[in-house]
């Protein structure tokens, strides 16, 4: 901020105040970039699963993703959710999805009964197709 004396037409003196906001704008932009980077890192690290391995996999277009972790936590599109709210949440998300596709990502140590229960909830919510996510495994030589 700069202060200085400025003469008026009548010969009196006044104070002139000027604020340069350019450095302040630069600081805000840097903070915004830092926030965006840390937010994406937090969202991506929310649900870590070890997907089962399969030799035949296909790329599936985007759908509603249900993730079941090894410690039995459920995430819908990377957001944590409790089992009682799962049906309503899936109904809301599938209402906007024309393909009504649910992609199930389960940790390879997840219990089969829990996975089947999630598939049943997805079907009751209106899913017309369910894909199970797997990590591609290469065939060993000669196999």
């Amino acid at each position: 901020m700069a202060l200085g004396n400025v003469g008026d037409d009548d010969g009196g003196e006044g104070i002139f105040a000027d604020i340069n906001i350019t450095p302040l704008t630069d600081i805000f932009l840097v903070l915004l970039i830092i926030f965006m980077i840390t937010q994406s890192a937090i969202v991506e690290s929310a649900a870590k699963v070890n997907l089962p391995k399969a030799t035949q996999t296909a790329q599936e277009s985007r759908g509603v993703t249900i993730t079941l972790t090894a410690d039995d936590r459920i995430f819908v599109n990377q957001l944590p959710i409790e089992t009682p709210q799962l049906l309503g949440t899936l109904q809301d998300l599938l209402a906007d999805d024309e393909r009504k596709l649910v992609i199930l990502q389960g940790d390879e140590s997840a219990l089969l009964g829990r996975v089947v229960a999630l598939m049943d909830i997805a079907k009751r919510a209106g899913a017309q197709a369910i894909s199970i996510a797997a990590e591609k495994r290469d065939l060993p030589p000669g196999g």
Side-chain angles (χ1 to χ4, degrees):
M1 178 163 46
L3 295 176
N5 293 332
V6 177
D8 290 337
D9 291 338
D10 61 357
E13 293 186 10
I15 296 178
F16 174 71
D18 181 54
I19 298 175
N20 187 1
I21 64 166
T22 303
L24 185 62
T25 305
D26 292 343
I27 290 172
F28 283 142
L29 289 174
V30 168
L31 289 175
L32 177 66
I33 291 170
I34 291 171
F35 174 75
M36 289 172 28
I37 291 171
T38 56
Q39 188 65 22
S40 66
I42 290 171
V43 169
E44 287 178 9
S45 64
K48 292 287 185 187
V49 292
N50 291 324
L51 293 175
K53 314 278 187 284
T55 56
Q56 298 295 318
T57 60
Q59 259 324 54
E60 194 63 58
S61 64
R62 300 299 297 171
V64 178
T65 304
I66 302 174
T67 304
L68 178 64
T69 63
D71 56 350
D72 205 35
R73 292 185 300 151
I74 300 172
F75 294 83
V76 175
N77 290 342
Q78 297 291 337
L79 298 173
I81 193 163
E82 297 296 323
T83 305
Q85 291 86 27
L86 182 61
L87 180 62
T89 302
L90 286 176
Q91 286 173 338
D92 293 341
L93 291 172
L94 289 171
D96 299 334
D97 187 9
E98 61 188 40
R99 293 188 61 206
K100 306 222 181 294
L101 172 67
V102 172
I103 301 171
L104 183 59
Q105 293 181 336
D107 193 276
E108 61 185 355
S109 64
L111 297 174
L112 180 61
R114 186 73 168 129
V115 174
V116 170
L118 290 177
M119 291 170 67
D120 181 53
I121 292 172
K123 289 299 266 185
R124 285 189 289 143
Q128 294 178 355
I130 297 176
S131 294
I132 298 176
E135 193 173 305
K136 186 159 179 70
R137 174 181 58 185
D138 294 326
L139 284 174

